[in-house]
């Protein structure tokens, strides 16, 4: 079964702290790994994505770390802000596409003052 | 540039009825994917259309179907609705299906 396992289910971080969300996958055919952010009442919005030819990608305060041998990838949010409070989903796709995503179960992040 | 739009935003139906949801992709995007989001099952891929052809299909029963028109607009149909079909149905588009997908706000369907 093509699963993506995500943890933790929920996370509380103080303002200015680092939020870390982890995902693990089984299907070695996966070759595209995006992270999406979703606010209540909205559709998911892409934060950052990585392909397995690199081990890390950084965009602003968001970093993806990718470990191909362990089949794991993670999202790090540096200097977390209250506005980052949302649900975060990791996802994966295969055969070069990005249009038939398998999603993780989501992490509800709360950033406190 | 306008984003992905979905209509209607909210819908209430009763068991046994059928429903059609509409999605207008970002201008120039030819790939449209549909996803179902529920608290229990999370986000699940339904199907993807590209150039009016279903290119990929998820693991949903045949009651779920879709189509795409020549202007890339897409519709999703669910026949013989069940209580478990209550969900947020999300549409996402991209140029060819090999780049970032952009999601619409979704249609929230409640089946009574």
């Amino acid at each position: 079964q093509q699963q993506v396992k995500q943890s933790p289910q929920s996370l509380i971080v103080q303002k200015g702290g680092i939020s870390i969300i982890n995902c693990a996958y089984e299907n070695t055919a996966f070759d595209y790994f995006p992270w999406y952010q979703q606010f209540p009442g909205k559709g998911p919005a892409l934060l950052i994505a990585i392909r397995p030819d690199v081990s890390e990608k950084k965009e602003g305060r968001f970093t993806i770390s990718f470990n191909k041998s362990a089949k794991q990838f993670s999202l790090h949010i540096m200097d977390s802000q209250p506005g980052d409070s949302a649900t975060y989903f990791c996802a994966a796709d295969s055969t070069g596409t990005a249009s038939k995503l398998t999603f993780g179960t989501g992490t509800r992040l709360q950033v406190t003052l | 540039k306008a984003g992905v739009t979905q209509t209607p935003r909210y819908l209430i139906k009763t068991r046994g009825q059928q429903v059609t949801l509409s999605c207008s992709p970002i201008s120039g995007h030819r790939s449209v994917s549909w996803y179902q989001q529920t608290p229990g099952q999370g986000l699940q891929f339904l199907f993807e259309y590209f150039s009016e052809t279903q290119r990929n299909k998820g693991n949903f029963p045949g009651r779920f179907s879709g189509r795409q028109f020549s202007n890339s607009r897409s519709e999703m149909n669910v026949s013989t609705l069940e209580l478990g079909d209550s969900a947020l149905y999300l549409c996402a588009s991209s140029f060819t299906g090999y780049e970032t997908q952009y999601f619409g706000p979704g249609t929230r369907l409640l089946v009574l």
Side-chain angles (χ1 to χ4, degrees):
Chain A
Q1 190 174 357
Q2 296 190 3
Q3 275 190 326
V4 177
K5 295 182 180 179
Q6 184 172 346
S7 63
Q9 192 172 8
S10 63
L11 184 60
I12 299 175
V13 173
Q14 279 198 321
K15 180 182 174 182
I18 302 173
S19 304
I20 302 174
I21 306 171
N22 301 297
C23 283
Y25 62 96
E26 299 168 356
N27 185 356
T28 55
F30 284 149
D31 56 9
Y32 175 69
F33 303 92
W35 283 89
Y36 280 85
Q37 178 190 58
Q38 187 177 29
F39 292 103
K42 304 285 187 182
L46 180 75
L47 270 178
I48 186 171
I50 198 169
R51 295 221 182 241
D53 51 339
V54 296
S55 60
E56 187 174 282
K57 182 176 181 180
K58 184 177 180 180
E59 289 183 2
R61 296 185 295 110
F62 303 95
T63 300
I64 294 182
S65 296
F66 181 75
N67 186 328
K68 189 173 181 178
S69 60
K71 293 186 284 185
Q72 295 176 347
F73 58 110
S74 59
L75 175 69
H76 293 229
I77 305 175
M78 311 299 289
D79 188 27
S80 298
Q81 298 297 312
D84 297 331
S85 297
T87 301
Y88 293 80
F89 294 93
C90 62
D93 203 342
S94 59
T95 62
T97 65
S99 57
K100 49 175 176 50
L101 298 169
T102 299
F103 280 89
T105 49
T107 295
R108 185 168 292 184
L109 171 65
Q110 182 182 353
V111 181
T112 61
L113 293 170
Chain B
K1 205 179 218 183
V4 177
T5 57
Q6 293 186 243
T7 57
R9 292 293 312 278
Y10 305 92
L11 207 48
I12 300 175
K13 292 286 187 180
T14 56
R15 276 183 302 171
Q17 287 187 311
Q18 74 166 19
V19 67
T20 299
L21 313 181
S22 181
C23 171
S24 292
I26 292 171
S27 178
H29 286 191
R30 293 163 60 197
S31 167
V32 174
S33 298
W34 288 88
Y35 295 85
Q36 181 195 65
Q37 185 173 24
T38 61
Q41 299 298 317
L43 274 154
Q44 293 186 288
F45 170 72
L46 279 155
F47 32 66
E48 182 220 1
Y49 285 85
F50 179 76
S51 291
E52 303 178 65
T53 301
Q54 187 180 87
R55 185 162 64 176
N56 289 292
K57 188 178 187 304
N59 196 23
F60 277 80
R63 299 186 297 106
F64 292 82
S65 62
R67 60 178 175 167
Q68 186 180 34
F69 302 94
S70 58
N71 62 358
S72 294
R73 189 177 70 86
S74 178
E75 287 182 348
M76 190 192 96
N77 184 274
V78 187
S79 63
T80 320
L81 284 166
E82 300 177 359
L83 295 179
D85 296 334
S86 294
L88 180 67
Y89 290 90
L90 292 157
C91 163
S93 75
S94 66
F95 283 108
T96 65
Y98 289 82
E99 323 80 9
T100 300
Q101 280 199 312
Y102 294 89
F103 281 80
T107 294
R108 186 163 296 280
L109 172 65
L110 177 61
V111 182
L112 301 175

